[in-house]
Amino acid sequence: MFRIIWKCSPLLLLLSLSTQGLNRPNTKAASPFTNCGCQCSNLTFRDKYGKTHGNCKSSDHTGAQWCYVDPSQSSSCQDLSYTSVRFPGKPWSYEACATPACGN
């Protein structure tokens, strides 16, 4: 019995190492500084299930909260993305959800 376990142990070790990262959530690192020029707009929408998206009220497929950023305000968000399908041309950001209002 011991020989079978001994011969299978490298295989078991390999299998356990290859599956370690499969169920980890994809999280975002906190910003090392406060960027108060990176602020959310109050733009949101409801999906067909009634769930509100935008303004840090939900998380995307990465598990991170996000919000739209007002393009008429100069924004210093380092992660602005313009990939919104629902509101083409409207930038959105993860960083803005982690940034307090200026002066807070």
Side-chain angles (χ1 to χ4, degrees):
M1 182 70 163
F2 180 72
R3 283 185 175 174
I4 293 172
I5 294 172
W6 182 252
K7 286 183 179 184
C8 293
S9 63
L11 179 60
L12 293 174
L13 177 63
L14 181 61
L15 285 173
S16 68
L17 291 175
S18 67
T19 60
Q20 281 185 349
L22 293 180
N23 292 325
R24 285 190 204 155
N26 185 357
T27 56
K28 303 289 181 188
S31 176
F33 63 94
T34 301
N35 182 3
C36 71
C38 177
Q39 298 292 310
C40 292
S41 76
N42 60 3
L43 179 62
T44 61
F45 68 90
R46 288 189 192 274
D47 64 20
K48 64 182 180 180
Y49 304 107
K51 184 176 180 183
T52 301
H53 299 271
N55 206 13
C56 312
K57 297 190 182 298
S58 65
S59 300
D60 67 6
H61 68 281
T62 69
Q65 292 179 322
W66 61 277
C67 66
Y68 290 103
V69 176
D70 189 346
S72 68
Q73 306 289 320
S74 64
S75 174
S76 57
C77 296
Q78 301 296 306
D79 67 342
L80 283 182
S81 179
Y82 292 83
T83 60
S84 174
V85 174
R86 183 163 306 253
F87 299 111
K90 294 277 187 187
W92 60 270
S93 168
Y94 297 115
E95 182 184 358
C97 285
T99 306
C102 292
N104 284 352

